[in-house]
C-alpha cells in the first residue's frame, strides 16, 4: 500500500486561545464572582485565557469575539464599562481587532468605535483616540511544548546539526518538538536538546538578547517570529534553513503553532516492537525501533478510546478475520480502541469487544475475549525525552522561595525521563539529581536515588502519574505538588 501524504490536522480549540497583556504587564482577566473584567493578574491562568472567534478577517484586521473558558463573552456596554456574559444582539461583544507592526493588538468596539484599554487595574472602553494604553500583547495560551508547521512548504520545523530546518514531513521525532519560553514580552525557542535559536542562525546554549524574538499572532494559530528590527524568520534556500531575513515570499514567514503531538512505541511480551509490515499488515516484527514502529497517540479522554496513527498516514483498524491493519481512516469506527491500563502497560480492546494480542504468526490480531499477558503492551514515548507538566493551577516547577516542587508556576521545569521498564520512569531534575518524595507526599528536586514513577496516558496530551508511595500525583490549590490521591480526579490530570 502506498503511503498517503501526511495530513496536517486543524488546530484544536485549546491551540487557538491567548492571554492578553496590557502596557503594565498584567493580563486581561474575567472575575467569576463579580461579573467584571480586570487587568491585575501577573500570570496566565484559566481566568486569563480567551478564545478568539473570528467572523471576518483581513490582512491587517479582523472582526472577533473574545470567549472565556467558561463559555461567556467579553462585552462592552454603552457607558464604556466592560463585563462578560452573553451577547444580546448580533454585534454586541464584537470587536475590530487591529494587528500592528510592533506585534501588538488593539480591540475596537464595533458598536461604539471605542478602544479597549486598562489603567493597570480596571478595564474599560471609553476613548476613540488610539494610544499606548490601548495596546495588548497576545500570548498563546497553549502548552509550551509545541511544533511549528509551515502551510506554504507543508513541512514541520526540526532541529538538527546545530540548525533548524523546515523539512520534516511527519512530526514523529523529538527533534520536531520545541519549548516556547515567554520572558519580558519576548519568546525564546528551545530545541529538544536544550539549545536556543538565535538571530545569527546558530543555536545558543543559553537564552540571551540574541535569542529573543517578538511574536506576531493571528487568530487561527498562525504565528511569525521577528527580531523587532525588520527581520523575520522564514525557511530559506533549497534546504529550507530557518533564518532571519527581510524578504519572505508571500506568507512564507507564517507558521501554525500547535501542541506537540504524542508519538509512542508498543512492545509485545517478547520485547518486539509493534510495526507496520508488508505495506499494511501489523505485527511484532522488529527488535529495533524503526519509523514503522512509531504511532501517534490520538485519544479521546471522555470515552477512553484511542486511535493509533502510523507514520504512513493511516490508522490501525480491526478488519476481517480479526486482523489489525494499518489502512484505516480517521472517522472509521474500526480505528477506535478502548484502552485499559495495568501498572504502566496498556491493553487495547477493539470495537468488537475482543482484545488485541500477538498471534502465533507474529501478527497483531483481535482474538482474546479476556486479556492476559499476551494482550498487554509496553508503551514508551518516542518523541518525549522530557516532560513539561501543566495542571489546573499552572506548571510544575521549582521556585526560589520554596524548597518543594510547586504546581502553580508560570515558567515550567523540564522533567527528564529515564525509562527503566515499560511504563515506569525515573524523574530527573535539572543538574542530574532525581525527584525525591517526603513522608508528607511532597516532592523535592535534589534526591540522590532514582525512584519509580508510573505514567498512564489519559488523553492525547494528558497523563496521570502514580508516585512511588502508591498515590496519584495531584495539583493542590495552595501551589504545592502532592502525591496523596487514591482516585484519579481532575487535579490528578496533567497536560504534557
Amino acid at each position: 500500500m502506498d503511503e498517503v501524504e501526511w495530513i496536517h490536522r486543524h488546530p484544536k480549540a485549546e491551540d487557538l486561545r491567548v492571554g492578553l497583556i496590557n502596557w503594565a504587564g498584567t493580563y486581561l482577566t474575567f472575575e467569576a464572582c463579580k461579573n467584571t473584567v480586570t487587568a491585575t493578574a501577573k500570570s496566565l491562568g484559566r481566568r486569563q485565557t480567551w478564545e478568539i472567534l473570528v467572523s471576518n478577517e483581513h490582512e491587517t484586521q479582523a472582526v472577533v469575539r473574545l470567549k472565556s473558558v467558561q463559555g461567556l463573552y467579553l462585552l462592552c456596554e454603552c457607558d464604556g464599562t466592560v463585563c462578560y456574559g452573553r451577547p444580546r444582539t448580533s454585534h454586541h461583544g464584537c470587536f475590530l481587532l487591529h494587528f500592528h507592526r510592533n506585534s501588538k493588538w488593539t480591540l475596537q468596539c464595533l458598536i461604539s468605535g471605542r478602544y479597549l484599554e486598562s489603567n493597570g487595574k480596571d478595564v474599560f472602553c471609553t476613548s476613540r483616540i488610539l494610544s499606548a494604553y490601548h495596546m495588548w500583547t497576545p500570548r498563546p495560551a497553549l502548552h509550551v511544548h509545541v511544533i511549528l508547521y509551515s502551510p506554504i512548504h507543508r513541512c514541520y520545523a526540526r532541529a538538527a546539526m546545530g540548525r533548524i530546518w523546515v523539512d520534516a514531513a511527519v512530526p514523529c521525532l523529538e527533534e520536531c518538538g520545541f519549548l516556547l519560553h515567554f520572558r519580558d514580552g519576548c519568546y525564546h525557542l528551545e530545541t529538544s536538546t536544550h539549545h536556543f535559536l538565535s538571530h545569527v542562525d546558530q543555536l545558543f546554549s543559553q537564552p540571551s538578547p540574541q535569542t529573543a524574538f517578538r511574536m506576531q499572532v493571528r487568530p487561527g494559530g498562525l504565528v511569525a517570529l521577528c527580531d523587532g528590527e525588520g527581520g523575520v524568520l522564514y525557511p530559506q534556500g533549497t534546504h529550507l534553513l530557518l533564518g532571519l531575513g527581510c524578504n519572505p515570499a508571500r506568507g512564507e514567514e507564517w507558521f501554525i503553532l500547535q501542541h506537540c503531538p504524542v508519538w509512542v512505541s508498543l512492545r509485545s511480551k517478547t520485547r518486539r516492537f509493534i510495526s507496520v509490515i508488508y505495506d499494511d499488515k501489523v505485527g511484532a516484527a522488529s527488535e529495533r525501533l524503526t519509523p514503522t514502529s512509531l504511532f501517534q497517540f490520538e485519544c479521546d479522554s471522555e470515552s477512553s478510546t484511542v486511535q493509533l496513527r502510523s507514520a504512513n498516514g493511516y490508522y490501525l483498524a480491526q478488519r476481517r478475520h480479526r486482523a489489525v491493519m494499518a489502512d484505516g481512516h480517521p472517522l472509521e469506527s474500526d480505528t477506535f480502541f478502548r484502552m485499559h491500563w495495568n501498572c504502566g502497560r496498556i491493553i487495547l480492546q477493539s470495537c468488537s469487544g475482543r482484545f488485541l494480542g500477538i498471534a502465533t504468526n507474529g501478527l497483531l490480531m483481535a482474538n482474546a475475549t479476556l486479556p492476559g499477558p499476551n494482550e498487554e503492551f509496553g508503551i514508551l514515548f518516542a518523541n518525549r525525552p522530557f516532560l513539561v507538566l501543566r495542571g489546573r493551577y499552572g506548571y510544575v516547577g521549582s521556585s526560589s522561595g520554596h524548597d518543594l516542587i510547586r504546581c502553580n508556576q508560570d515558567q515550567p521545569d523540564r522533567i527528564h525521563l529515564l525509562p527503566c521498564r515499560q511504563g515506569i520512569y525515573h524523574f530527573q531534575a535539572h543538574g542530574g539529581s532525581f525527584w525525591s518524595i517526603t513522608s508528607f507526599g511532597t516532592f523535592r528536586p535534589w534526591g540522590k536515588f532514582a525512584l519509580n514513577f508510573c505514567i498512564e496516558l489519559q488523553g492525547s496530551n494528558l497523563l496521570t502519574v502514580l508516585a512511588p508511595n502508591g498515590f496519584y500525583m495531584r495539583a493542590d490549590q495552595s501551589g504545592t505538588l502532592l502525591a496523596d490521591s487514591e482516585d484519579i480526579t481532575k487535579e490528578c490530570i496533567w497536560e504534557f
Side-chain angles (χ1 to χ4, degrees):
M1 182 176 66
D2 294 333
E3 291 187 0
V4 299
E5 182 180 1
W6 184 262
I7 302 170
H8 177 75
R9 287 301 186 89
H10 292 292
K12 300 176 182 178
E14 54 266 29
D15 294 336
L16 307 179
R17 295 169 181 159
V18 300
L20 293 174
I21 308 170
N22 66 9
W23 60 273
T26 53
Y27 288 82
L28 185 71
T29 304
F30 65 88
E31 303 290 350
C33 59
K34 301 177 182 178
N35 192 33
T36 59
V37 178
T38 64
T40 57
K42 296 182 179 180
S43 61
L44 177 58
R46 288 175 56 84
R47 293 189 296 113
Q48 292 77 40
T49 299
W50 303 87
E51 185 177 348
I52 309 299
L53 304 178
V54 180
S55 60
N56 195 354
E57 185 174 6
H58 301 284
E59 287 188 5
T60 59
Q61 63 186 34
V63 177
V64 303
R65 276 194 168 105
L66 275 66
K67 182 180 178 182
S68 72
V69 294
Q70 286 188 336
L72 300 177
Y73 295 82
L74 186 75
L75 303 176
C76 179
E77 304 298 353
C78 297
D79 60 356
T81 60
V82 175
C83 61
Y84 69 95
R86 300 196 180 278
R88 296 187 297 270
T89 66
S90 59
H91 288 97
H92 190 210
C94 285
F95 293 86
L96 188 61
L97 171 59
H98 296 270
F99 309 118
H100 296 271
R101 293 179 63 87
N102 60 0
S103 302
K104 297 184 185 298
W105 288 1
T106 53
L107 291 155
Q108 186 178 21
C109 178
L110 203 61
I111 296 175
S112 66
R114 299 181 179 125
Y115 290 96
L116 186 74
E117 65 178 299
S118 169
N119 60 6
K121 178 182 177 182
D122 298 317
V123 178
F124 40 90
C125 201
T126 58
S127 176
R128 291 187 175 90
I129 301 175
L130 189 63
S131 72
Y133 296 104
H134 303 118
M135 295 289 175
W136 298 87
T137 300
R139 176 186 176 184
L142 80 166
H143 192 280
V144 298
H145 200 171
V146 299
I147 55 173
L148 294 167
Y149 175 76
S150 169
I152 297 295
H153 297 287
R154 304 174 79 172
C155 287
Y156 297 85
R158 67 179 182 94
M161 300 178 291
R163 299 288 191 275
I164 294 179
W165 317 83
V166 187
D167 61 358
V170 182
C172 59
L173 300 177
E174 62 185 60
E175 63 193 29
C176 294
F178 299 89
L179 291 180
L180 194 63
H181 298 278
F182 180 75
R183 297 178 182 175
D184 301 324
C186 292
Y187 293 85
H188 303 260
L189 195 65
E190 182 183 359
T191 71
S192 61
T193 58
H194 313 310
H195 292 83
F196 293 84
L197 179 65
S198 73
H199 297 177
V200 293
D201 302 340
Q202 294 179 356
L203 299 182
F204 287 10
S205 59
Q206 297 291 333
S208 71
Q210 282 290 301
T211 68
F213 293 89
R214 292 183 181 177
M215 179 181 287
Q216 298 179 21
V217 181
R218 298 291 184 272
L222 284 174
V223 300
L225 292 169
C226 53
D227 64 356
E229 298 179 359
V232 63
L233 285 173
Y234 63 94
Q236 301 178 32
T238 57
H239 297 291
L240 300 179
L241 175 65
L242 187 65
L244 276 175
C246 299
N247 298 300
R250 185 174 178 84
E252 201 173 21
E253 72 274 24
W254 292 104
F255 291 87
I256 295 176
L257 186 70
Q258 284 189 263
H259 197 160
C260 185
V262 181
W263 286 77
V264 300
S265 62
L266 301 172
R267 295 180 84 173
S268 67
K269 70 174 184 178
T270 61
R271 302 191 62 80
R272 290 180 177 268
F273 287 100
I274 306 302
S275 308
V276 180
I277 53 178
Y278 309 126
D279 292 333
D280 58 3
K281 291 183 174 62
V282 182
S286 175
E287 295 181 354
R288 299 180 61 187
L289 186 65
T290 67
T292 62
S293 310
L294 303 181
F295 300 93
Q296 185 174 337
F297 195 91
E298 300 181 9
C299 179
D300 182 358
S301 58
E302 297 296 327
S303 63
S304 296
T305 57
V306 63
Q307 291 177 292
L308 295 172
R309 188 186 191 192
S310 65
N312 65 8
Y314 291 99
Y315 290 79
L316 298 194
Q318 184 198 334
R319 298 307 190 195
R320 291 184 301 173
H321 309 298
R322 301 173 186 166
V324 176
M325 312 286 283
D327 61 358
H329 296 278
L331 298 181
E332 285 188 77
S333 61
D334 292 340
T335 64
F336 289 86
F337 299 92
R338 183 169 291 276
M339 59 180 181
H340 310 271
W341 290 95
N342 183 20
C343 299
R345 301 177 73 85
I346 193 170
I347 301 168
L348 297 172
Q349 186 178 17
S350 70
C351 57
S352 68
R354 292 183 178 268
F355 296 89
L356 272 59
I358 304 301
T360 54
N361 60 2
L363 295 180
L364 188 63
M365 306 283 288
N367 276 332
T369 56
L370 291 173
N374 193 50
E375 285 71 43
E376 291 185 355
F377 297 96
I379 183 168
L380 286 172
F381 293 121
N383 67 332
R384 298 297 179 105
F386 57 85
L387 290 180
V388 172
L389 298 180
R390 182 167 70 172
R392 292 179 63 82
Y393 309 113
Y395 286 100
V396 171
S398 53
S399 171
S400 58
H402 299 84
D403 64 341
L404 300 176
I405 296 176
R406 309 285 290 171
C407 62
N408 61 352
Q409 301 297 293
D410 187 58
Q411 298 293 333
D413 285 353
R414 296 187 303 268
I415 306 168
H416 290 271
L417 295 175
L418 302 179
C420 54
R421 59 181 186 271
Q422 308 290 357
I424 308 296
Y425 293 86
H426 301 320
F427 282 9
Q428 190 175 41
H430 180 70
S433 59
F434 293 96
W435 275 35
S436 65
I437 186 169
T438 71
S439 58
F440 301 102
T442 56
F443 297 93
R444 290 190 174 98
W446 52 68
K448 294 182 179 180
F449 305 102
L451 302 178
N452 293 339
F453 291 83
C454 178
I455 293 176
E456 295 180 353
L457 297 176
Q458 305 294 338
S460 293
N461 283 96
L462 303 173
L463 57 77
T464 53
V465 178
L466 193 62
N469 64 356
F471 292 96
Y472 285 99
M473 195 169 76
R474 71 173 179 90
D476 189 75
Q477 197 166 8
S478 67
T480 303
L481 184 67
L482 290 168
D484 62 358
S485 180
E486 295 183 358
D487 301 315
I488 297 176
T489 65
K490 289 183 178 180
E491 291 183 328
C492 300
I493 303 294
W494 300 95
E495 187 183 10
F496 73 102

PDB file of all heavy atoms in Angstrom, residues 318 349-355 368-370:
ATOM      1  N   GLN A 318      -9.254  -2.717  13.039  1.00  0.00           N
ATOM      2  CA  GLN A 318      -9.567  -4.146  13.019  1.00  0.00           C
ATOM      3  C   GLN A 318     -10.349  -4.464  11.758  1.00  0.00           C
ATOM      4  O   GLN A 318     -11.378  -3.852  11.477  1.00  0.00           O
ATOM      5  CB  GLN A 318     -10.377  -4.565  14.245  1.00  0.00           C
ATOM      6  CG  GLN A 318     -10.604  -6.072  14.267  1.00  0.00           C
ATOM      7  CD  GLN A 318     -11.724  -6.504  15.187  1.00  0.00           C
ATOM      8  OE1 GLN A 318     -12.032  -5.816  16.137  1.00  0.00           O
ATOM      9  NE2 GLN A 318     -12.332  -7.650  14.892  1.00  0.00           N
ATOM     10  N   GLN A 349      -8.676  -2.784  23.393  1.00  0.00           N
ATOM     11  CA  GLN A 349      -9.877  -3.565  23.105  1.00  0.00           C
ATOM     12  C   GLN A 349     -10.550  -2.992  21.866  1.00  0.00           C
ATOM     13  O   GLN A 349     -10.824  -1.793  21.790  1.00  0.00           O
ATOM     14  CB  GLN A 349     -10.831  -3.510  24.305  1.00  0.00           C
ATOM     15  CG  GLN A 349     -12.046  -4.402  24.190  1.00  0.00           C
ATOM     16  CD  GLN A 349     -12.910  -4.321  25.443  1.00  0.00           C
ATOM     17  OE1 GLN A 349     -12.784  -3.397  26.244  1.00  0.00           O
ATOM     18  NE2 GLN A 349     -13.790  -5.300  25.628  1.00  0.00           N
ATOM     19  N   SER A 350     -10.799  -3.831  20.875  1.00  0.00           N
ATOM     20  CA  SER A 350     -11.381  -3.374  19.615  1.00  0.00           C
ATOM     21  C   SER A 350     -12.878  -3.125  19.773  1.00  0.00           C
ATOM     22  O   SER A 350     -13.486  -3.469  20.798  1.00  0.00           O
ATOM     23  CB  SER A 350     -11.147  -4.416  18.516  1.00  0.00           C
ATOM     24  OG  SER A 350     -11.930  -5.573  18.766  1.00  0.00           O
ATOM     25  N   CYS A 351     -13.493  -2.543  18.742  1.00  0.00           N
ATOM     26  CA  CYS A 351     -14.919  -2.235  18.804  1.00  0.00           C
ATOM     27  C   CYS A 351     -15.765  -3.503  18.845  1.00  0.00           C
ATOM     28  O   CYS A 351     -16.937  -3.454  19.243  1.00  0.00           O
ATOM     29  CB  CYS A 351     -15.318  -1.355  17.620  1.00  0.00           C
ATOM     30  SG  CYS A 351     -14.944  -2.069  16.007  1.00  0.00           S
ATOM     31  N   SER A 352     -15.194  -4.645  18.467  1.00  0.00           N
ATOM     32  CA  SER A 352     -15.914  -5.919  18.555  1.00  0.00           C
ATOM     33  C   SER A 352     -15.913  -6.481  19.974  1.00  0.00           C
ATOM     34  O   SER A 352     -16.584  -7.479  20.249  1.00  0.00           O
ATOM     35  CB  SER A 352     -15.281  -6.946  17.612  1.00  0.00           C
ATOM     36  OG  SER A 352     -13.978  -7.305  18.062  1.00  0.00           O
ATOM     37  N   GLY A 353     -15.155  -5.865  20.871  1.00  0.00           N
ATOM     38  CA  GLY A 353     -15.069  -6.323  22.244  1.00  0.00           C
ATOM     39  C   GLY A 353     -13.886  -7.223  22.524  1.00  0.00           C
ATOM     40  O   GLY A 353     -13.607  -7.549  23.684  1.00  0.00           O
ATOM     41  N   ARG A 354     -13.175  -7.650  21.492  1.00  0.00           N
ATOM     42  CA  ARG A 354     -12.027  -8.538  21.679  1.00  0.00           C
ATOM     43  C   ARG A 354     -10.750  -7.716  21.892  1.00  0.00           C
ATOM     44  O   ARG A 354     -10.641  -6.572  21.444  1.00  0.00           O
ATOM     45  CB  ARG A 354     -11.870  -9.476  20.486  1.00  0.00           C
ATOM     46  CG  ARG A 354     -13.022 -10.484  20.399  1.00  0.00           C
ATOM     47  CD  ARG A 354     -12.851 -11.469  19.270  1.00  0.00           C
ATOM     48  NE  ARG A 354     -13.942 -12.438  19.256  1.00  0.00           N
ATOM     49  CZ  ARG A 354     -13.900 -13.608  19.880  1.00  0.00           C
ATOM     50  NH1 ARG A 354     -12.814 -13.960  20.548  1.00  0.00           N
ATOM     51  NH2 ARG A 354     -14.924 -14.447  19.831  1.00  0.00           N
ATOM     52  N   PHE A 355      -9.786  -8.335  22.566  1.00  0.00           N
ATOM     53  CA  PHE A 355      -8.558  -7.652  22.938  1.00  0.00           C
ATOM     54  C   PHE A 355      -7.440  -7.971  21.953  1.00  0.00           C
ATOM     55  O   PHE A 355      -7.338  -9.101  21.446  1.00  0.00           O
ATOM     56  CB  PHE A 355      -8.143  -8.057  24.357  1.00  0.00           C
ATOM     57  CG  PHE A 355      -9.125  -7.623  25.402  1.00  0.00           C
ATOM     58  CD1 PHE A 355     -10.190  -8.448  25.770  1.00  0.00           C
ATOM     59  CD2 PHE A 355      -9.012  -6.386  26.003  1.00  0.00           C
ATOM     60  CE1 PHE A 355     -11.100  -8.050  26.735  1.00  0.00           C
ATOM     61  CE2 PHE A 355      -9.924  -5.972  26.970  1.00  0.00           C
ATOM     62  CZ  PHE A 355     -10.971  -6.805  27.331  1.00  0.00           C
ATOM     63  N   ALA A 368      -8.594 -12.327  21.668  1.00  0.00           N
ATOM     64  CA  ALA A 368      -8.892 -12.733  23.038  1.00  0.00           C
ATOM     65  C   ALA A 368     -10.180 -12.105  23.554  1.00  0.00           C
ATOM     66  O   ALA A 368     -10.448 -10.916  23.336  1.00  0.00           O
ATOM     67  CB  ALA A 368      -7.732 -12.360  23.952  1.00  0.00           C
ATOM     68  N   THR A 369     -10.994 -12.923  24.244  1.00  0.00           N
ATOM     69  CA  THR A 369     -12.180 -12.403  24.911  1.00  0.00           C
ATOM     70  C   THR A 369     -11.856 -11.880  26.297  1.00  0.00           C
ATOM     71  O   THR A 369     -12.600 -11.083  26.854  1.00  0.00           O
ATOM     72  CB  THR A 369     -13.254 -13.499  25.006  1.00  0.00           C
ATOM     73  OG1 THR A 369     -12.690 -14.643  25.670  1.00  0.00           O
ATOM     74  CG2 THR A 369     -13.741 -13.900  23.618  1.00  0.00           C
ATOM     75  N   LEU A 370     -10.750 -12.352  26.868  1.00  0.00           N
ATOM     76  CA  LEU A 370     -10.249 -11.854  28.143  1.00  0.00           C
ATOM     77  C   LEU A 370      -8.767 -11.528  27.984  1.00  0.00           C
ATOM     78  O   LEU A 370      -8.031 -12.285  27.341  1.00  0.00           O
ATOM     79  CB  LEU A 370     -10.443 -12.888  29.253  1.00  0.00           C
ATOM     80  CG  LEU A 370     -11.891 -13.170  29.679  1.00  0.00           C
ATOM     81  CD1 LEU A 370     -11.919 -14.332  30.667  1.00  0.00           C
ATOM     82  CD2 LEU A 370     -12.539 -11.927  30.286  1.00  0.00           C
TER      83      LEU A 370
END
